[in-house]
Amino acid sequence: MKHVVFLVFGMLAVLPATARADAISDCNGSSNTLRQISGCTKVIQRTMLGDPLSTAYMNRGIAYAQRNQPKKAIADFTSSIEANHANNFAYYNRGNVYLDQGQAKEAIDDYTKAVELAPDMSPAFLNRGLANEMLGDRTASIADFRAALSLEPTLYAASEGLKRLGADSLGANPQEGAQLGN
């Protein structure tokens, strides 16, 4: 199962002008993952600032994830978080790798942190719902799918998750309604 990843563009770094431009360009937007990894590595080696360093680690982590190198991706997302603890995208993307690896508990922790930092991050609610579903926590899954839909009403995967769990998207599960006397 592959999940949406967020690239963060527009990094300022302390590099020589031409090297900085090429490395940042490769790190932020190269369609060639090897070139992206190389560009991000150059930025990381020459950057001491929190936000640009965090972004470079995160973008390189995304490239590693796309190349199916989960250990390297997780290490880079962790470094991204260490450089900027408020980087909700780094938590979200690390959660995606954990989820892809079947590590649902770790994924839930990261998605929870992502929504704490960005309460309107519907993909984090959606994927946390999927992780909760993997663990068999139906109640938490339904709550997360509903939260995702409240932020993004056309989110098909959240609607499908509710259907899979036997809950409608508006609120009550038919069984819950019967138990409540409705």
Side-chain angles (χ1 to χ4, degrees):
M1 173 181 337
K2 293 294 175 188
H3 300 91
V4 177
V5 291
F6 286 96
L7 291 173
V8 175
F9 300 103
M11 152 184 336
L12 298 174
V14 182
L15 297 172
T18 54
R20 179 180 60 192
D22 291 343
I24 290 171
S25 177
D26 288 345
C27 181
N28 284 339
S30 180
S31 60
N32 178 318
T33 56
L34 287 176
R35 190 172 184 166
Q36 185 175 16
I37 290 167
S38 175
C40 290
T41 299
K42 288 175 187 172
V43 172
I44 289 165
Q45 291 170 342
R46 298 175 182 148
T47 303
M48 299 300 288
L49 304 173
D51 288 342
L53 184 61
S54 178
T55 300
Y57 274 119
M58 188 179 64
N59 286 347
R60 190 172 73 174
I62 290 168
Y64 280 133
Q66 290 172 338
R67 295 187 62 77
N68 198 27
Q69 295 179 298
K71 288 181 182 178
K72 288 181 178 182
I74 288 170
D76 274 356
F77 292 135
T78 301
S79 294
S80 175
I81 291 164
E82 289 169 356
N84 177 4
H85 294 287
N87 187 341
N88 59 301
F89 295 114
Y91 286 102
Y92 172 78
N93 285 311
R94 187 174 69 177
N96 288 343
V97 175
Y98 282 136
L99 189 59
D100 286 342
Q101 297 300 303
Q103 296 174 265
K105 289 179 184 179
E106 292 84 353
I108 289 168
D109 290 343
D110 279 348
Y111 295 138
T112 298
K113 186 63 177 178
V115 298
E116 286 172 6
L117 294 168
D120 61 344
M121 193 176 197
S122 60
F125 281 108
L126 170 67
N127 289 353
R128 189 173 70 179
L130 294 170
N132 279 313
E133 187 177 3
M134 283 176 70
L135 292 178
D137 189 341
R138 183 177 179 278
T139 302
S141 294
I142 290 170
D144 283 336
F145 291 146
R146 286 185 179 146
L149 283 170
S150 73
L151 294 167
E152 194 174 335
T154 60
L155 196 57
Y156 178 78
S159 295
E160 287 301 304
L162 289 174
K163 286 179 189 175
R164 240 185 351 267
L165 295 170
D168 67 24
S169 61
L170 299 176
N173 170 336
Q175 289 179 314
E176 293 168 348
Q179 293 171 351
L180 296 173
N182 293 341

